[in-house]
Amino acid sequence: QVQLVESGGGLVQAGDSLQLSCTGAGRSFSTLTEAWFRQAPGKEREFVAGINTWHRLGTYFADSLEDRFLIWRRSDKNTVYLEMTNLKPEDTAVYYCAASDDGDSRSRYAGDYGYWGQGTQVTVSS
């Protein structure tokens, strides 16, 4: 089992930056693939960014977010971070950390992730 806890959400203004953290317990992140998803009110959960283990810590992003978002991992803290820059009101959502037992994944599909955090709210005001 893997327990995930997100932190770092909050209320920011358009153009601001925000860093989210996801700390895991129960398994080392270095054996998993981790990802961030988000869900806005009335919308489906969507993929944001992921980082895997076996592709030389390869990262992958939703096409529309790659120029503003960054994901990285600190193995010594078993924590994955999501750095969001130039935030826009449409980035407002609950952001979820997820993990997959497949350390070689590059999946953008929520169903491929078996472990989820409780989510952290990000609100961007205009």
Short mmCIF file of all heavy atoms in Angstrom, two decimals, residues 72-103:
data_model
loop_
_atom_site.label_atom_id
_atom_site.label_comp_id
_atom_site.label_asym_id
_atom_site.label_seq_id
_atom_site.Cartn_x
_atom_site.Cartn_y
_atom_site.Cartn_z
N TRP A 72 9.12 17.27 -10.54
CA TRP A 72 10.38 16.61 -10.19
C TRP A 72 10.21 15.85 -8.89
O TRP A 72 9.22 16.03 -8.17
CB TRP A 72 11.54 17.61 -10.10
CG TRP A 72 11.59 18.49 -8.91
CD1 TRP A 72 12.30 18.31 -7.76
CD2 TRP A 72 10.90 19.73 -8.73
NE1 TRP A 72 12.10 19.34 -6.88
CE2 TRP A 72 11.25 20.23 -7.45
CE3 TRP A 72 10.02 20.48 -9.53
CZ2 TRP A 72 10.75 21.44 -6.96
CZ3 TRP A 72 9.53 21.67 -9.04
CH2 TRP A 72 9.89 22.14 -7.77
N ARG A 73 11.19 15.03 -8.60
CA ARG A 73 11.12 14.16 -7.44
C ARG A 73 12.38 14.32 -6.59
O ARG A 73 13.48 14.44 -7.11
CB ARG A 73 11.00 12.70 -7.89
CG ARG A 73 10.98 11.68 -6.77
CD ARG A 73 11.27 10.29 -7.31
NE ARG A 73 10.22 9.80 -8.18
CZ ARG A 73 10.42 8.97 -9.19
NH1 ARG A 73 11.65 8.56 -9.47
NH2 ARG A 73 9.41 8.54 -9.92
N ARG A 74 12.19 14.29 -5.28
CA ARG A 74 13.31 14.18 -4.34
C ARG A 74 13.19 12.83 -3.66
O ARG A 74 12.35 12.64 -2.77
CB ARG A 74 13.29 15.31 -3.32
CG ARG A 74 13.84 16.62 -3.86
CD ARG A 74 14.22 17.55 -2.75
NE ARG A 74 15.22 16.98 -1.85
CZ ARG A 74 15.83 17.68 -0.90
NH1 ARG A 74 15.54 18.96 -0.73
NH2 ARG A 74 16.70 17.11 -0.11
N SER A 75 14.04 11.92 -4.07
CA SER A 75 13.97 10.57 -3.53
C SER A 75 14.29 10.52 -2.04
O SER A 75 13.71 9.71 -1.31
CB SER A 75 14.92 9.65 -4.29
OG SER A 75 14.52 9.57 -5.66
N ASP A 76 15.17 11.41 -1.57
CA ASP A 76 15.54 11.38 -0.15
C ASP A 76 14.37 11.79 0.73
O ASP A 76 14.31 11.43 1.91
CB ASP A 76 16.74 12.28 0.12
CG ASP A 76 16.49 13.73 -0.24
OD1 ASP A 76 15.70 13.97 -1.18
OD2 ASP A 76 17.08 14.62 0.40
N LYS A 77 13.41 12.51 0.18
CA LYS A 77 12.22 12.92 0.92
C LYS A 77 10.98 12.14 0.49
O LYS A 77 9.90 12.36 1.04
CB LYS A 77 11.97 14.42 0.73
CG LYS A 77 13.04 15.32 1.34
CD LYS A 77 12.68 16.77 1.18
CE LYS A 77 13.71 17.68 1.82
NZ LYS A 77 13.74 17.50 3.29
N ASN A 78 11.15 11.24 -0.47
CA ASN A 78 10.01 10.49 -1.02
C ASN A 78 8.87 11.44 -1.38
O ASN A 78 7.70 11.22 -1.02
CB ASN A 78 9.52 9.42 -0.04
CG ASN A 78 9.08 8.16 -0.78
OD1 ASN A 78 9.70 7.73 -1.75
ND2 ASN A 78 8.02 7.53 -0.30
N THR A 79 9.23 12.50 -2.07
CA THR A 79 8.28 13.56 -2.37
C THR A 79 8.39 13.95 -3.84
O THR A 79 9.50 14.04 -4.38
CB THR A 79 8.55 14.79 -1.48
OG1 THR A 79 8.36 14.41 -0.11
CG2 THR A 79 7.61 15.93 -1.82
N VAL A 80 7.25 14.19 -4.44
CA VAL A 80 7.16 14.69 -5.80
C VAL A 80 6.57 16.09 -5.75
O VAL A 80 5.63 16.36 -4.97
CB VAL A 80 6.29 13.77 -6.67
CG1 VAL A 80 6.01 14.42 -8.02
CG2 VAL A 80 6.97 12.45 -6.89
N TYR A 81 7.10 16.96 -6.56
CA TYR A 81 6.68 18.36 -6.56
C TYR A 81 6.09 18.73 -7.92
O TYR A 81 6.50 18.22 -8.96
CB TYR A 81 7.88 19.27 -6.28
CG TYR A 81 8.56 18.97 -4.97
CD1 TYR A 81 9.60 18.05 -4.89
CD2 TYR A 81 8.15 19.62 -3.81
CE1 TYR A 81 10.22 17.77 -3.70
CE2 TYR A 81 8.79 19.35 -2.60
CZ TYR A 81 9.82 18.43 -2.55
OH TYR A 81 10.42 18.16 -1.36
N LEU A 82 5.15 19.65 -7.87
CA LEU A 82 4.61 20.23 -9.10
C LEU A 82 4.74 21.75 -8.98
O LEU A 82 4.11 22.36 -8.10
CB LEU A 82 3.14 19.85 -9.29
CG LEU A 82 2.49 20.40 -10.57
CD1 LEU A 82 3.06 19.67 -11.79
CD2 LEU A 82 0.97 20.23 -10.52
N GLU A 83 5.57 22.31 -9.82
CA GLU A 83 5.76 23.75 -9.84
C GLU A 83 4.89 24.31 -10.95
O GLU A 83 5.02 23.90 -12.12
CB GLU A 83 7.22 24.10 -10.09
CG GLU A 83 7.51 25.58 -10.17
CD GLU A 83 7.53 26.27 -8.82
OE1 GLU A 83 7.67 25.57 -7.80
OE2 GLU A 83 7.42 27.50 -8.79
N MET A 84 4.03 25.23 -10.60
CA MET A 84 3.09 25.83 -11.57
C MET A 84 3.40 27.31 -11.67
O MET A 84 3.43 28.01 -10.66
CB MET A 84 1.65 25.61 -11.11
CG MET A 84 1.32 24.14 -10.86
SD MET A 84 -0.39 23.88 -10.35
CE MET A 84 -0.35 24.60 -8.71
N THR A 85 3.65 27.77 -12.86
CA THR A 85 3.97 29.18 -13.07
C THR A 85 2.93 29.84 -13.97
O THR A 85 2.17 29.17 -14.66
CB THR A 85 5.36 29.33 -13.72
OG1 THR A 85 5.34 28.73 -15.02
CG2 THR A 85 6.42 28.66 -12.88
N ASN A 86 2.90 31.17 -13.92
CA ASN A 86 1.98 31.94 -14.74
C ASN A 86 0.57 31.35 -14.67
O ASN A 86 -0.07 31.08 -15.70
CB ASN A 86 2.46 31.99 -16.19
CG ASN A 86 1.68 32.98 -17.05
OD1 ASN A 86 1.08 33.93 -16.52
ND2 ASN A 86 1.68 32.76 -18.35
N LEU A 87 0.09 31.18 -13.47
CA LEU A 87 -1.20 30.53 -13.26
C LEU A 87 -2.33 31.35 -13.84
O LEU A 87 -2.30 32.59 -13.85
CB LEU A 87 -1.43 30.28 -11.78
CG LEU A 87 -0.65 29.08 -11.23
CD1 LEU A 87 -0.56 29.13 -9.72
CD2 LEU A 87 -1.30 27.78 -11.69
N LYS A 88 -3.34 30.64 -14.33
CA LYS A 88 -4.50 31.25 -14.95
C LYS A 88 -5.76 30.81 -14.21
O LYS A 88 -5.77 29.74 -13.57
CB LYS A 88 -4.58 30.82 -16.42
CG LYS A 88 -3.32 31.14 -17.20
CD LYS A 88 -3.40 30.60 -18.62
CE LYS A 88 -2.12 30.91 -19.39
NZ LYS A 88 -2.17 30.40 -20.78
N PRO A 89 -6.82 31.59 -14.30
CA PRO A 89 -8.06 31.18 -13.63
C PRO A 89 -8.52 29.79 -14.04
O PRO A 89 -9.09 29.06 -13.21
CB PRO A 89 -9.05 32.26 -14.07
CG PRO A 89 -8.20 33.47 -14.27
CD PRO A 89 -6.93 32.95 -14.86
N GLU A 90 -8.26 29.39 -15.27
CA GLU A 90 -8.68 28.06 -15.71
C GLU A 90 -7.84 26.94 -15.09
O GLU A 90 -8.15 25.75 -15.28
CB GLU A 90 -8.64 27.95 -17.24
CG GLU A 90 -7.34 28.38 -17.87
CD GLU A 90 -7.36 29.82 -18.36
OE1 GLU A 90 -7.91 30.70 -17.64
OE2 GLU A 90 -6.82 30.07 -19.46
N ASP A 91 -6.79 27.27 -14.36
CA ASP A 91 -6.03 26.27 -13.61
C ASP A 91 -6.69 25.94 -12.27
O ASP A 91 -6.23 25.04 -11.56
CB ASP A 91 -4.60 26.75 -13.35
CG ASP A 91 -3.79 26.89 -14.62
OD1 ASP A 91 -3.89 26.00 -15.49
OD2 ASP A 91 -3.07 27.90 -14.75
N THR A 92 -7.73 26.66 -11.93
CA THR A 92 -8.44 26.41 -10.68
C THR A 92 -9.03 25.01 -10.68
O THR A 92 -9.75 24.62 -11.60
CB THR A 92 -9.56 27.45 -10.48
OG1 THR A 92 -8.97 28.73 -10.32
CG2 THR A 92 -10.40 27.10 -9.26
N ALA A 93 -8.68 24.24 -9.65
CA ALA A 93 -9.12 22.85 -9.57
C ALA A 93 -8.62 22.25 -8.27
O ALA A 93 -7.79 22.85 -7.58
CB ALA A 93 -8.57 22.03 -10.75
N VAL A 94 -9.12 21.07 -7.96
CA VAL A 94 -8.50 20.25 -6.93
C VAL A 94 -7.41 19.43 -7.61
O VAL A 94 -7.68 18.76 -8.62
CB VAL A 94 -9.51 19.33 -6.24
CG1 VAL A 94 -8.81 18.44 -5.21
CG2 VAL A 94 -10.61 20.15 -5.57
N TYR A 95 -6.22 19.50 -7.07
CA TYR A 95 -5.08 18.80 -7.65
C TYR A 95 -4.80 17.54 -6.82
O TYR A 95 -4.69 17.61 -5.59
CB TYR A 95 -3.85 19.71 -7.67
CG TYR A 95 -3.91 20.71 -8.79
CD1 TYR A 95 -4.81 21.78 -8.74
CD2 TYR A 95 -3.09 20.59 -9.91
CE1 TYR A 95 -4.89 22.69 -9.78
CE2 TYR A 95 -3.17 21.50 -10.95
CZ TYR A 95 -4.07 22.54 -10.88
OH TYR A 95 -4.15 23.45 -11.91
N TYR A 96 -4.70 16.43 -7.53
CA TYR A 96 -4.50 15.13 -6.89
C TYR A 96 -3.15 14.54 -7.30
O TYR A 96 -2.76 14.59 -8.47
CB TYR A 96 -5.58 14.15 -7.32
CG TYR A 96 -6.97 14.52 -6.89
CD1 TYR A 96 -7.80 15.26 -7.71
CD2 TYR A 96 -7.46 14.10 -5.65
CE1 TYR A 96 -9.08 15.60 -7.32
CE2 TYR A 96 -8.75 14.42 -5.25
CZ TYR A 96 -9.56 15.18 -6.09
OH TYR A 96 -10.83 15.51 -5.70
N CYS A 97 -2.49 13.96 -6.32
CA CYS A 97 -1.29 13.18 -6.56
C CYS A 97 -1.70 11.72 -6.72
O CYS A 97 -2.60 11.24 -6.00
CB CYS A 97 -0.34 13.34 -5.39
SG CYS A 97 1.17 12.37 -5.51
N ALA A 98 -1.07 11.04 -7.65
CA ALA A 98 -1.38 9.64 -7.89
C ALA A 98 -0.09 8.87 -8.11
O ALA A 98 0.92 9.45 -8.51
CB ALA A 98 -2.29 9.50 -9.11
N ALA A 99 -0.15 7.57 -7.86
CA ALA A 99 1.02 6.72 -8.07
C ALA A 99 0.60 5.40 -8.69
O ALA A 99 -0.50 4.89 -8.43
CB ALA A 99 1.75 6.48 -6.75
N SER A 100 1.50 4.87 -9.50
CA SER A 100 1.27 3.59 -10.16
C SER A 100 2.39 2.62 -9.81
O SER A 100 3.56 3.02 -9.74
CB SER A 100 1.22 3.80 -11.67
OG SER A 100 1.30 2.57 -12.36
N ASP A 101 2.04 1.35 -9.65
CA ASP A 101 3.05 0.33 -9.41
C ASP A 101 3.97 0.13 -10.62
O ASP A 101 5.06 -0.42 -10.48
CB ASP A 101 2.38 -1.01 -9.07
CG ASP A 101 1.78 -1.01 -7.68
OD1 ASP A 101 2.42 -0.45 -6.77
OD2 ASP A 101 0.69 -1.59 -7.52
N ASP A 102 3.54 0.57 -11.77
CA ASP A 102 4.34 0.44 -12.98
C ASP A 102 5.33 1.60 -13.03
O ASP A 102 4.98 2.72 -13.39
CB ASP A 102 3.43 0.46 -14.21
CG ASP A 102 4.22 0.31 -15.50
OD1 ASP A 102 5.46 0.17 -15.44
OD2 ASP A 102 3.59 0.34 -16.57
N GLY A 103 6.56 1.32 -12.67
CA GLY A 103 7.57 2.37 -12.64
C GLY A 103 8.00 2.83 -14.01
O GLY A 103 8.78 3.78 -14.12
#
